[in-house]
Amino acid sequence: MKRSILFDTETTGFDPDQGDRIIEIAALELIDDLPTGRHYHVLVHPERDIPPEATKVHGFRIEDLEGKPKFAEVAEDFLAFVGDSPLIAHNARFDFKFVNAELQQCGRRPLDYASRAIDTVEMARRKYPGMPASLDALCRRFGIDLSDRGTHNALLDCRLLADVYVELMGGRQRGLGLAGPSRNRGLAGNINPLEGRAPRPMAPPSDAELAAHTAFVDTIKDPVWRRA
C-alpha cells in the first residue's frame, strides 16, 4: 500500500522572504494514487494584511480570518497528517517554500523538498512538452469539471489536482489489474476503490494548446509528427 499526500496553500502573496504568509492549507490522503476521503483543511490568520490583488485570486480578506488560528497553532496537526509520506503539489516549490518558511518561523524542522516533493507541473511538462501546464489547462485536457472553481480555494484545488494526478500517472485503468493485488485490495475490507469509476474521455485541445504544440514541434529537427 502506497500512501502519499496531495496539498495546496493559499497565501497573501508570492514570496515568504518578503513577508508573505499562508492563509489556507489543505491536504488530501491518497492510497495507491487514489483519494481515500481523509483530508486536512484549515484557515490561518496570517498576522498581517492581505493585499487586494491577493484577495482577487482567492477571495479572502483579513476580516474573513479574524479568530482563525495562527500557523504555529496548527503546525503539529498538519505535520501529523502528512507524516513521512511523499508530498504532491502543483508547482511544488512554491508550496514547499511557504510551508517551510512557516515551520521555521515557529521553530520546527522544514520539509525536505529533494526527497519528498512530487511536482505535477513538472510531470505535465514531461508528458505534454510545449503544452500549457496550469491546473485549469490540465483539467480541460482531461475533461475534469471546473464549474465549481471561481476564485482559488485550497481544498477544491486539491480535489481537482487529485483527479489530474491520477490521469498523469496513467489514468484510472492503469495496469488493467496486472500491477499486483494492491491495486484491487481496496481501502477498507474488500471495497474496490476503482469500482464505478469510468475513465474520462480526453477533451480535445484548445486552439492555444494546438498553437503551443506547433511551436514546440518547430524547435525539433525532423520531428516524427511531420514525417510522410
Side-chain angles (χ1 to χ4, degrees), residues 128-134 136-138 140-141 203-217:
Y128 305 107
M131 305 297 280
S134 70
D136 282 359
L138 291 170
R140 288 192 293 269
R141 168 174 287 276
S206 66
D207 291 343
E209 290 171 330
L210 289 171
H213 180 67
T214 299
F216 171 75
V217 171

Side-chain angles (χ1 to χ4, degrees), residues 97-157:
K97 186 174 183 179
F98 267 95
V99 168
N100 283 341
E102 296 282 4
L103 290 172
Q104 290 176 307
Q105 187 161 321
C106 60
R108 293 178 178 269
R109 186 167 59 184
L111 305 172
D112 184 57
Y113 182 89
S115 65
R116 298 187 65 178
I118 299 173
D119 190 342
T120 49
V121 170
E122 294 179 2
M123 290 176 65
R125 286 174 176 165
R126 287 194 298 269
K127 190 165 187 176
Y128 305 107
M131 305 297 280
S134 70
L135 182 57
D136 282 359
L138 291 170
C139 285
R140 288 192 293 269
R141 168 174 287 276
F142 297 130
I144 296 169
D145 184 10
L146 283 167
S147 60
D148 289 334
R149 194 171 195 242
T151 55
H152 287 232
N153 171 282
L155 186 56
L156 175 59
D157 285 359

Side-chain angles (χ1 to χ4, degrees), residues 41-58:
H41 178 233
V42 66
L43 297 177
V44 179
H45 194 288
E47 304 180 73
R48 55 152 293 168
D49 65 312
I50 301 177
E53 55 269 26
T55 298
K56 290 179 182 177
V57 173
H58 48 58

